[in-house]
Amino acid sequence: MAMARRSCALLVAATALLAMVAAADAAVPPSCERIECPAYEVLDSANGFEIRRYTDAMWVSTAPIQDISFVAATRSGFLQLFDYIQGKNAYNETIEMTAPVLTEVSPSDGPFCASSFVVSFYVPAKNQADPPPAAGLRVRRWAGPRYAAVRRFGGFVADADVGEQAARLDASLQGTRWAAAVNEARRADPKSAYTVAQYNSPFEFTGRVNEIWMLFDGATEASGAHVL
Ligand SMILES: *[C@@H]1O[C@H](CO)[C@@H](O)[C@H](O)[C@H]1NC(C)=O
């Protein structure tokens, strides 16, 4: 446990250093200094967005949740994942909380239709080798490095913020060398529009960090030029 904590702190420090090199606004979320977060490299940072490469890792996800509300669906998914880390899993094992909680959003076709949401939790390093299975949840590995175009925003996430922040991220990417890769990912999988990452407990009211992620494939990195 102590070792996991120490390597986590080192990882955070290394990531913070990389982030400082890339851009002043790319600091690690404050909650990642207290709890474990997945490691990433910052590849680029400009004009309201950051491009990250996440390492291969296991995540635990809910089944798709149909709802008209992002906030309600995230709460319902979070409760399932909370039970999981409290020991409601095949090994009866308690697992340390991590950040962020991700909600993958697949918008519906009309205003009166339920959208689909998948809520995910990053498995801490200690459990990466053998995360416990659990009924109703999926344990999945992110295949290969995953690239994310990221826009950060503060406060409490409301339903109305999510689409608006995604639109701002999308607008900031157009005309950049990343636009083709992000647009291609959307063409390839139109149902997976974007992901919301939340780093804080609902009871923290200062320093809140949220992000919109648009994930894309490493195979298209070549078209994104040689960035490092
Ligand atoms: C987990 O707990 C349940 C209920 O207490 C028990 O039936 C089961 O055998 C336990 N499983 C393991 C792997 O310890």
Side-chain angles (χ1 to χ4, degrees):
M1 192 92 62
M3 252 180 71
R5 281 252 175 262
R6 199 158 55 238
S7 59
C8 165
L10 277 175
L11 211 65
V12 167
T15 313
L17 207 68
L18 267 173
M20 274 164 57
V21 170
D25 67 338
V28 167
S31 57
C32 294
E33 286 158 16
R34 302 187 299 271
I35 59 177
E36 194 179 331
C37 295
Y40 63 83
E41 259 181 285
V42 177
L43 302 183
D44 190 14
S45 181
N47 188 28
F49 69 83
E50 184 171 275
I51 304 294
R52 298 179 186 163
R53 178 166 53 207
Y54 280 87
T55 46
D56 219 9
M58 302 292 278
W59 293 70
V60 179
S61 303
T62 66
I65 297 167
Q66 312 298 322
D67 207 300
I68 55 166
S69 163
F70 163 87
V71 172
T74 299
R75 184 181 301 126
S76 137
F78 178 82
L79 291 174
Q80 293 176 46
L81 296 171
F82 183 74
D83 284 346
Y84 175 84
I85 68 171
Q86 292 293 303
K88 199 173 155 192
N89 56 58
Y91 305 162
N92 294 343
E93 186 179 1
T94 59
I95 292 168
E96 277 195 61
M97 187 58 202
T98 61
V101 165
L102 298 184
T103 307
E104 192 180 336
V105 182
S106 305
S108 65
D109 292 328
F112 300 111
C113 303
S115 295
S116 180
F117 304 90
V118 172
V119 184
S120 300
F121 157 81
Y122 166 69
V123 175
K126 180 173 177 279
N127 303 94
Q128 278 286 325
D130 184 21
L137 298 177
R138 288 178 295 168
V139 179
R140 298 187 296 184
R141 174 175 293 283
W142 261 10
R146 292 288 297 267
Y147 293 68
V150 175
R151 175 186 173 82
R152 190 172 283 184
F153 59 104
F156 291 89
V157 184
D159 286 349
D161 296 333
V162 172
E164 187 183 322
Q165 294 290 341
R168 287 189 194 176
L169 173 58
D170 191 55
S172 75
L173 291 167
Q174 297 312 316
T176 73
R177 64 179 185 267
W178 304 103
V182 172
N183 295 342
E184 174 54 33
R186 186 173 309 149
R187 252 195 311 277
D189 187 7
K191 289 190 93 62
S192 176
Y194 51 85
T195 295
V196 180
Q198 299 185 77
Y199 288 83
N200 300 92
S201 106
F203 304 107
E204 289 179 87
F205 62 92
T206 57
R208 296 187 63 83
V209 173
N210 317 294
E211 292 167 345
I212 297 283
W213 293 5
M214 289 180 182
L215 295 166
F216 58 97
D217 190 352
T220 46
E221 188 191 13
S223 66
H226 302 286
V227 288
L228 282 181

